[in-house]
Amino acid sequence: MLAKIEQLLQEVKGLTAQNPEELEALRIKYLSKKGAINALMADFRNVPAEQKKEVGMKLNELKNLAQERIATLKEAFDNQDNGAAELDLTRTAYPVNLGTRHPLTIVRNEIIDIFSRMGFTIADGPEVEDDWHVFSSMNFAEDHPARDMQDTFFIESHPDIILRTHTSSVQSRVMEVSQPPIRVICPGRVYRNEAISYRAHCFFHQVEGLYIDKNVSFTDLKQVLLQFAQEMFGPETKIRLRPSYFPFTEPSAEMDISCDICGGEGCPFCKYTGWVEILGCGMVDPAVLEANGIDSKVYTGYAFGMGVERITNLKYKVKDLRMFSENDTRFLEEFESAN
Ligand code: PHE
């Protein structure tokens, strides 16, 4: 019996199978109920008592080895089945093309960041607006020519419903539901019925700002705008304010920054003036405060508004405004951002 076990041990040690079917045949041959090992187990009864210990140990060794060997072979076939045996773990993964932020989004976020650090919060409102929030509450009289300053898109069947021409409508919405102190910026898309060219489009983006509290002065406005200009365009940037007109502010001004191409020396970009215009601003007209439910005898405020395209053009020297809405990925991929 020992000799038989020894022979099977040698056989089992060298077991190999070409395919799962062969392996199954081996399992049946050695490990099934009617297999060779079970047959030996049955014979074990007849082994003389003094040999039982030695034979029993050998027999167990054989059984364990056979189970182990067959399990190992089976595992190899299983792994091969799902391809893992051929998997090359050093291969690089499929390339993932990461998108980039749109340049207007990068600049808008930068503007928001700067004003957030100065305590402004973001306010939002609808792009399809009514006349009240865009014009009337902003002190545009019914037949005032200033309404023509902003070529408006009207909804034909509803002359009162328009596409907002500026995000001042959001300022109005903030004022009608809150009392000072109010300190908000209103980023958003606006629409004007203009012929599309390299320097004008029928829609563009703005960030407007509004600050209302007791004793807000023009000096506060100027300081905040200087801070903004220097954070946006560099600490050397100078600003200048020129008198202007807006129905909703009095006094009103337009702000220029020193041309960052020539540093104020004069070049074709700034038309040899050394200055480029970047935004409109002013002290909120008391009539606007009153129209929106704020006591103009107690409170004063300033407002400003800028075009995101304009700031982006200045920062990145994009010459044609239409590039921003054409979705040419060769253009868009030039802008990389961390946020
Ligand atoms: N609403 C003005 C525009 O769209 C910008 C502006 C806002 C000017 C606030 C002054 C104060 O042109």
Side-chain angles (χ1 to χ4, degrees), residues 31 35 111-112 255 314 336:
L31 289 174
I111 299 171
I112 290 176
M255 186 174 101
L314 289 175
E336 282 195 23

Side-chain angles (χ1 to χ4, degrees), residues 191-316:
Y191 302 82
R192 292 187 193 178
N193 189 3
E194 298 202 34
I196 297 170
S197 73
Y198 74 97
R199 54 196 295 265
H201 215 300
C202 57
F203 63 83
F204 60 98
H205 301 79
Q206 283 191 327
V207 178
E208 294 211 351
L210 174 71
Y211 179 35
I212 306 172
D213 205 345
K214 288 178 180 152
N215 302 319
V216 176
S217 71
F218 203 94
T219 320
D220 300 327
L221 170 62
K222 194 174 167 188
Q223 189 55 42
V224 160
L225 294 180
L226 175 64
Q227 182 69 25
F228 164 72
Q230 294 188 336
E231 285 203 41
M232 194 74 197
F233 296 101
E236 306 300 318
T237 311
K238 293 187 196 62
I239 63 167
R240 85 174 174 186
L241 291 159
R242 284 177 289 106
S244 184
Y245 171 77
F246 298 104
F248 32 88
T249 46
E250 181 58 37
S252 304
E254 255 157 325
M255 186 174 101
D256 299 338
I257 57 166
S258 48
C259 176
D260 74 331
I261 291 188
C262 60
E265 298 280 298
C267 69
F269 188 76
C270 60
K271 301 198 189 80
Y272 299 97
T273 62
W275 298 95
V276 285
E277 185 195 318
I278 67 159
L279 55 80
C281 60
M283 299 306 290
V284 181
D285 193 305
V288 172
L289 295 177
E290 293 297 332
N292 289 286
I294 290 171
D295 189 344
S296 65
K297 285 183 222 58
V298 181
Y299 298 108
T300 50
Y302 63 68
F304 56 85
M306 67 190 85
V308 180
E309 278 80 352
R310 174 107 187 112
I311 309 279
T312 310
N313 281 351
L314 289 175
K315 261 201 100 105
Y316 294 109

